[in-house]
Amino acid sequence: MITATRKRFTIDEYHRLAELGFFEPDDRLELIRGEIIQMPTKKTPHSVCNVLLVRTLTILLGELAIVRGQEPIILPADSEPQPDVSIVRNRSDFYLANHPEPADIFLLIEISESTLRFDRETKLSLYAENEINDYWIFNLVDNILEMYSEPYRNPQGKFGYASKRIALPRATVPLPGFPDLALDLSQVFPS
């Protein structure tokens, strides 16, 4: 009997496939735990929320940090997700030498509509495993912000976050890593 096995890729192999033209330029792909994942096309509310969020955070943070929209991060050694928004430490080369790694990250944000389960399970576990201290999901299904913090590993070896808070669309929430700054969610959630 023949059994099927999945081929898992390293980050270097994934980059090499891209260099060799295995992917179309418009493909929405992420490398998650060695698997190449095709992400669904974004709906209009997702796109609007993403644009509003990047704009608002860029104005709010100014020169304090770099706001990246749908750009890769590196989670050694087999994951290169592209969170919808990431807030990362300032670096003079703006990450030209390499994408941000966990030590560079203040906050990762996913905007979820059709990917809500994937973002709550797969990405949440991946981010917690890599000790990303703060992870937010703009849940467009329920119209709430889910804020996760305090990554941990349970006795069965699964990763998650010890703290989960919910904020409604008209709330103002503190920005992790920047105690004097708060984000007005009414400026971000699509009306």
Side-chain angles (χ1 to χ4, degrees), residues 100-113:
E101 296 179 359
D104 302 311
I105 298 168
F106 290 109
L107 173 64
L108 293 182
I109 303 171
E110 299 290 353
I111 299 167
S112 298
E113 207 167 7

Side-chain angles (χ1 to χ4, degrees), residues 4-191:
T5 58
R6 293 183 181 186
K7 164 65 176 140
R8 299 214 183 256
F9 297 91
T10 66
I11 292 171
D12 289 339
E13 291 170 333
Y14 175 63
H15 288 176
R16 184 71 179 136
L17 289 173
E19 290 168 8
L20 294 171
F22 276 82
F23 312 128
E24 295 296 322
D26 293 335
D27 283 348
R28 295 194 63 237
L29 303 172
E30 294 184 310
L31 183 67
I32 305 294
R33 291 193 167 101
E35 291 187 52
I36 299 170
I37 307 291
Q38 175 81 40
M39 300 306 290
T41 302
K42 291 181 257 178
K43 296 178 182 174
T44 303
H46 182 288
S47 294
V48 169
C49 186
N50 202 83
V51 168
L52 292 171
L53 184 57
V54 168
R55 183 180 74 176
T56 303
L57 287 172
T58 300
I59 292 168
L60 185 62
L61 287 162
E63 300 292 321
L64 297 174
I66 298 171
V67 178
R68 293 168 49 104
Q70 299 173 346
E71 299 296 336
I73 62 169
I74 299 294
L75 302 177
D78 63 354
S79 294
E80 188 176 288
Q82 295 185 31
D84 289 307
V85 178
S86 55
I87 300 174
V88 298
R89 297 185 191 290
N90 280 324
R91 208 165 87 179
S92 61
D93 73 345
F94 286 86
Y95 296 93
L96 181 61
N98 60 289
H99 296 304
E101 296 179 359
D104 302 311
I105 298 168
F106 290 109
L107 173 64
L108 293 182
I109 303 171
E110 299 290 353
I111 299 167
S112 298
E113 207 167 7
S114 60
T115 61
L116 184 57
R117 182 175 178 182
F118 185 75
D119 293 337
R120 276 186 181 155
E121 295 174 7
T122 304
K123 284 198 170 175
L124 184 141
S125 172
L126 177 67
Y127 295 157
E129 180 179 353
N130 285 277
E131 299 181 1
I132 304 299
N133 288 325
D134 292 281
Y135 171 48
W136 289 2
I137 299 174
F138 275 82
N139 175 341
L140 300 184
V141 174
D142 300 315
N143 212 35
I144 58 173
L145 172 63
E146 301 175 18
M147 299 175 287
Y148 298 90
S149 60
E150 302 174 40
Y152 77 98
R153 182 178 187 174
N154 73 18
Q156 293 77 34
K158 294 186 180 185
F159 293 89
Y161 286 90
S163 177
K164 175 184 177 183
R165 290 187 50 229
I166 300 292
L168 301 177
R170 297 188 188 275
T172 299
V173 296
L175 205 54
F178 304 92
D180 298 334
L181 300 179
L183 178 63
D184 178 356
L185 298 180
S186 68
Q187 295 180 347
V188 177
F189 274 99
S191 300

